[in-house]
């Protein structure tokens, strides 16, 4: 059983460019959350997708957007990249089964903006 | 304001010694509580979680944590650390209203002396 997978593992972009990160959830999971982890910090919640809709959003600008596909995989898009967007981007998946959720994390995509 | 505090940025212990990592939260009601570990260049792995019931919870890799409502704390412990325990440890909460976004502390980096 594959866990949460993310691609690419590393990415280098320049300021002003756009980037797309991808996530495939753990088998049986239908909810995907995205987190940004700056160097030396804890992860910060960006947003969560369920049933192909954004359900919750953290304190991130509209430059950060996402999508969830019918197979539950998800993309994170960041437009007009800033130097401060350099971080490890983590995807987490979970299953909405009526109880408290435990999210399983992927290995992350490390984005460097030059 | 709602917050998760890990007061120790770095902790160094000798191999074989006991370990306690501190975590305090500030919420109106008892949230769901978690400890995650992150090895260098890796994603997050769940060590243990507390939702309700017995306040002493057992996790993987020999870790345990105790929830103390009166102190709003959820400290992580291990009786005897191994060199492979060197990593960053994050305390995290999901607020009681279960809006599902995980709030992370800033982390404690654990160093192990041989």
């Amino acid at each position: 059983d594959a866990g949460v997978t993310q691609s690419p593992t590393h990415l280098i972009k320049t300021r002003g460019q756009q980037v797309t990160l991808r996530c495939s959830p753990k088998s049986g999971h239908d909810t995907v959350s995205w987190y940004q982890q700056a160097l030396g910090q804890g992860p910060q919640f960006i947003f969560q997708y369920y049933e192909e809709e954004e359900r919750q959003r953290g304190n991130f600008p509209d430059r950060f957007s996402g999508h969830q596909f019918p197979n539950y995989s998800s993309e994170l898009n960041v437009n007009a990249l800033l130097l401060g967007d350099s971080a490890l981007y983590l995807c987490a998946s979970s299953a909405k089964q009526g109880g408290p959720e435990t999210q399983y994390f992927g290995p992350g995509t490390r984005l460097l903006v030059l | 304001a709602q917050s998760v505090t890990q007061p120790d940025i770095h902790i160094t212990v000798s191999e074989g010694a006991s370990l306690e990592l501190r975590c305090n939260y500030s919420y109106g009601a008892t949230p769901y509580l978690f400890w995650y570990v992150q090895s260098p260049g890796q994603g997050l792995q769940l060590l243990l979680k507390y939702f309700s019931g017995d306040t002493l919870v057992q996790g993987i890799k020999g870790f345990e944590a105790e929830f103390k409502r009166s102190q709003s704390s959820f400290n992580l412990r291990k009786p005897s650390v191994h060199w492979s325990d060197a990593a960053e440890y994050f305390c995290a909460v999901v607020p009681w209203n279960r809006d599902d976004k995980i709030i992370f502390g800033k982390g404690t980096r654990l160093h192990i002396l041989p």
Side-chain angles (χ1 to χ4, degrees):
Chain A
D1 174 28
V4 180
T5 60
Q6 293 186 243
S7 63
T9 56
H10 295 79
L11 205 51
I12 300 175
K13 293 286 187 177
T14 57
R15 281 180 299 174
Q17 285 189 311
Q18 178 265 344
V19 68
T20 297
L21 311 181
R22 296 176 176 83
C23 172
S24 291
K26 182 178 169 64
S27 178
H29 286 183
D30 55 10
T31 302
V32 173
S33 302
W34 287 92
Y35 294 80
Q36 181 196 65
Q37 185 179 15
L39 197 62
Q41 300 294 315
Q44 287 195 298
F45 176 80
I46 303 175
F47 43 53
Q48 182 182 81
Y49 276 84
Y50 172 65
E51 292 185 333
E52 301 181 48
E53 291 189 11
E54 183 182 298
R55 297 293 177 170
Q56 298 180 65
R57 190 178 183 92
N59 189 26
F60 279 80
D62 292 344
R63 297 187 298 108
F64 290 77
S65 63
H67 187 79
Q68 186 179 35
F69 299 93
N71 67 353
Y72 308 121
S73 66
S74 176
E75 289 181 349
L76 164 65
N77 300 293
V78 186
N79 295 321
L81 284 167
L82 303 174
L83 296 180
D85 295 331
S86 295
L88 180 68
Y89 288 85
L90 296 165
C91 167
S93 74
S94 56
K96 282 194 176 291
Q97 296 174 337
E101 295 180 9
T102 300
Q103 298 183 14
Y104 291 82
F105 285 81
T109 293
R110 188 164 296 281
L111 171 65
L112 178 61
V113 182
L114 300 176
Chain B
Q2 298 177 335
S3 66
V4 180
T5 302
Q6 293 181 248
D8 303 305
I9 299 174
H10 293 272
I11 280 188
T12 301
V13 299
S14 298
E15 191 169 17
S18 63
L19 170 69
E20 182 169 29
L21 302 182
R22 296 182 290 165
C23 173
N24 293 93
Y25 63 90
S26 174
Y27 284 92
T30 301
Y32 302 120
L33 298 158
F34 305 82
W35 275 98
Y36 286 87
V37 61
Q38 185 176 38
S39 297
Q42 302 296 313
L44 294 162
Q45 182 181 23
L46 179 68
L47 285 175
L48 46 78
K49 60 189 177 186
Y50 173 77
F51 290 166
S52 64
D54 191 346
T55 57
L56 184 64
V57 294
Q58 302 297 320
I60 62 171
K61 304 184 179 186
F63 285 93
E64 67 178 26
E66 185 172 12
F67 168 61
K68 292 186 178 180
R69 185 189 305 274
S70 61
Q71 299 176 20
S72 297
S73 69
F74 188 56
N75 294 349
L76 181 72
R77 302 194 294 246
K78 187 170 184 178
S80 176
V81 298
H82 186 263
W83 64 266
S84 60
D85 294 324
E88 184 120 29
Y89 291 80
F90 293 95
C91 180
V93 306
V94 170
W96 69 273
N97 61 353
R98 291 166 49 184
D99 64 2
D100 300 338
K101 64 183 178 185
I102 304 178
I103 312 297
F104 287 88
K106 292 188 175 182
T108 296
R109 181 161 295 279
L110 175 63
H111 305 272
I112 307 294
L113 295 175

